């Protein structure tokens, strides 16, 4: 049975599949109440003199980056099996013209579709009459279905004098690319372990950067009474799961070709697209704050800052000054003698 890990706990794939958005929220609360989260910063100064890492410390904010900028090429990439997607997409559109396929080979399906459409056109002379497009409902509940079908028929009509097989292949590819390009979300990434030496190397500019410690509230007994902003924070921070297996989302995406998804169906895609990563990254034990990309968010209180041992002295002095003014504890990273380990020494100011 295929397993995955989430917050250093091993669970079955079937158990993960059954988790709802409500389950995830409860899991977050149970896992993070009163705990610490850590975020690494490279502390690189831009050509214009700005240092966004220092700004994050000054303002107690996090920035939501697009996963396209992350170092894992599979991160937040939909797992779509192209041939399967093309065939099911074509079958979905063809079903509204009462066309079924005798073949299961994509090339043969495209040829069969074009032949049947041409035969129908000889009878009706009108493209739209070939397809059973339902009228737009007054409450617009079938709006996506109505416009997508009309778009398909319009494209078919405009390109019919060209090689229809070429058009269909291009159309099917465009439908697939639409899913890849639709992502507008952004992430801020955290870990529960600030002692991880690989993360200091990868995300703190090889120890030239620093790490911020955020302390989570330890009492939410009156959840309804906490601020709207804190409720927003708790609702959008979620654990990353790790597995050696990618999940094929082709069937889930076919469902939303023509029909809007429910919130829980959207979360299913969310769960396998944004929150599931290759097991090779499991050492990070990552948590993600997720919302629309290129957004800056006020986060939970900063309780400490950890300085890399290769930090530039000028940047180091700036961070110490900011931390001192905000009453934030400061620690320096020390390489232990005789061990492949690091430790943190309180900095006396």
């Amino acid at each position: 049975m295929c397993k995955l890990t989430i917050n250093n706990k091993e669970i079955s794939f079937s158990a993960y599949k059954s988790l709802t958005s409500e389950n995830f929220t409860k899991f977050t609360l149970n896992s993070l109440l009163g705990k610490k989260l850590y975020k690494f910063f490279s502390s690189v100064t831009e050509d214009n003199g700005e240092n966004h890492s220092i700004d994050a410390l000054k303002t107690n904010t996090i920035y939501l980056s697009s996963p396209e900028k992350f170092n894992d090429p599979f991160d937040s990439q939909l797992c779509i099996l192209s041939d399967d997607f093309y065939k099911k997409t074509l079958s979905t559109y063809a079903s509204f013209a009462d066309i079924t396929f005798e073949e299961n080979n994509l090339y043969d399906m495209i040829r069969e579709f074009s032949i049947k459409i041409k035969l129908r056109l000889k009878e009706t002379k009108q493209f739209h009459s070939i397809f059973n497009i339902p009228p737009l409902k007054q409450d617009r509940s079938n709006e996506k279905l109505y416009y997508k079908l009309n778009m398909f028929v319009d494209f078919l009509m405009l390109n019919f004098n060209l090689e229809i097989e070429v058009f269909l292949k291009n159309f099917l590819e465009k439908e697939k690319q639409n899913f890849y390009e639709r992502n507008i979300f952004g992430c801020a990434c955290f870990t529960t372990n600030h002692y991880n030496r690989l993360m200091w190397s990868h995300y703190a500019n090889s120890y030239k950067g620093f790490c911020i410690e955020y302390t989570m509230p330890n009492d939410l007994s009156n959840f309804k009474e906490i601020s709207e902003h804190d409720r927003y924070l708790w609702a959008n921070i979620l654990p990353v799961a790790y597995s050696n297996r990618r999940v094929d989302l082709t069937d889930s995406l076919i469902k939303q070709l023509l029909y809007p998804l429910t919130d829980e169906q959207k979360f299913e895609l969310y769960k396998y697209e944004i929150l599931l990563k290759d097991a090779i990254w499991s050492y990070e034990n990552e948590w993600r704050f997720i919302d629309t990309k290129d957004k800056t968010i006020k986060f939970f209180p900063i309780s400490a800052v950890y300085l890399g041992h290769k930090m530039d002295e000028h940047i180091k002095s700036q961070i110490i000054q900011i931390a001192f003014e905000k009453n934030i504890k400061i620690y320096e990273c020390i390489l232990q003698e005789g061990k492949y380990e690091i430790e943190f020494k309180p900095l006396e100011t």
Side-chain angles (χ1 to χ4, degrees), residues 161-267:
N161 290 329
L162 303 175
E163 188 66 37
I164 189 171
E165 288 86 355
V166 174
F167 157 70
L168 284 171
K169 287 178 183 176
N170 292 338
F171 181 85
L172 296 173
E173 175 61 21
K174 185 175 184 296
E175 285 285 66
K176 189 182 79 165
Q177 289 303 319
N178 284 340
F179 285 111
Y180 285 124
E181 294 167 3
R182 81 195 202 295
N183 295 330
I184 59 168
F185 60 82
C187 301
C189 306
F190 305 86
T191 183
T192 56
N193 180 14
H194 60 306
Y195 282 89
N196 191 297
R197 300 186 303 282
L198 278 176
M199 297 188 75
W200 274 98
S201 296
H202 293 165
Y203 305 117
N205 195 15
S206 298
Y207 293 84
K208 297 182 187 75
F210 60 93
C211 176
I212 291 179
E213 174 187 277
Y214 302 91
T215 297
M216 317 301 281
N218 56 16
D219 182 16
L220 289 180
S221 53
N222 292 320
F223 189 76
K224 292 181 180 179
E225 295 183 13
I226 69 172
S227 71
E228 184 177 339
H229 183 72
D230 278 1
R231 282 199 296 274
Y232 161 71
L233 293 181
W234 280 111
N236 287 278
I237 190 160
L238 297 162
V240 171
Y242 301 94
S243 173
N244 287 319
R245 168 188 163 191
R246 292 190 79 190
V247 177
D248 175 16
L249 295 174
T250 305
D251 286 340
S252 296
L253 296 173
I254 292 297
K255 289 178 184 176
Q256 62 169 300
L257 266 177
L258 302 175
Y259 303 97
L261 294 184
T262 64
D263 288 343
E264 206 54 50
Q265 286 173 322
K266 289 176 185 175
F267 186 75

Side-chain angles (χ1 to χ4, degrees), residues 256-303:
Q256 62 169 300
L257 266 177
L258 302 175
Y259 303 97
L261 294 184
T262 64
D263 288 343
E264 206 54 50
Q265 286 173 322
K266 289 176 185 175
F267 186 75
E268 281 298 298
L269 292 176
Y270 204 63
K271 190 166 65 175
Y272 294 118
E273 179 185 2
I274 315 170
L275 297 175
L276 186 64
K277 292 183 65 174
D278 185 347
I280 198 172
W281 300 97
S282 61
Y283 70 89
E284 294 185 349
N285 196 33
E286 185 180 346
W287 287 75
R288 290 185 160 180
F289 187 92
I290 304 169
D291 200 348
T292 50
K293 66 183 176 183
D294 300 327
K295 195 173 184 179
T296 301
I297 305 294
K298 189 86 170 175
F299 201 56
F300 289 112
I302 297 173
S303 47

Side-chain angles (χ1 to χ4, degrees), residues 96-139:
F96 286 89
D98 295 324
I99 293 175
T100 56
F101 298 102
E102 297 174 6
E103 302 292 337
N104 194 37
N105 174 279
L106 180 61
Y107 179 76
D108 291 336
M109 288 173 67
I110 290 175
R111 283 190 67 250
E112 188 178 346
F113 179 81
S114 62
I115 289 169
K116 289 181 177 178
I117 289 293
K118 288 174 182 177
L119 288 173
R120 298 277 183 88
L121 273 176
K122 287 182 178 179
E123 300 170 6
T124 66
K125 307 296 184 185
Q126 292 290 328
F127 272 90
H128 285 75
S129 63
I130 296 173
F131 289 83
N132 303 313
I133 302 176
L136 183 62
K137 293 182 179 178
Q138 190 170 358
D139 64 0

Side-chain angles (χ1 to χ4, degrees), residues 21-125:
S21 55
E22 185 179 352
N23 295 146
F24 262 80
T25 301
K26 288 179 180 177
F27 183 89
T28 298
L29 293 173
N30 292 334
S31 302
L32 294 184
L33 272 178
K35 302 291 177 59
K36 314 283 189 184
L37 281 178
Y38 300 90
K39 183 167 180 59
F40 292 93
F41 292 86
S42 63
S43 196
V44 173
T45 301
E46 307 288 341
D47 292 339
N48 61 6
E50 292 183 354
N51 188 310
H52 299 298
S53 301
I54 291 178
D55 290 342
L57 179 64
K58 273 183 187 175
T59 59
N60 196 171
T61 55
I62 56 174
Y63 178 75
L64 308 188
S65 301
S66 168
E68 292 175 356
K69 300 175 183 177
F70 293 170
N71 54 1
D72 176 8
F74 292 99
D75 198 321
S76 304
Q77 284 290 313
L78 294 163
C79 180
I80 304 175
L81 303 182
S82 296
D83 191 66
D84 196 28
F85 180 83
Y86 297 149
K87 289 189 288 189
K88 289 178 178 177
T89 299
L90 184 58
S91 295
T92 298
Y93 280 108
S95 68
F96 286 89
D98 295 324
I99 293 175
T100 56
F101 298 102
E102 297 174 6
E103 302 292 337
N104 194 37
N105 174 279
L106 180 61
Y107 179 76
D108 291 336
M109 288 173 67
I110 290 175
R111 283 190 67 250
E112 188 178 346
F113 179 81
S114 62
I115 289 169
K116 289 181 177 178
I117 289 293
K118 288 174 182 177
L119 288 173
R120 298 277 183 88
L121 273 176
K122 287 182 178 179
E123 300 170 6
T124 66
K125 307 296 184 185

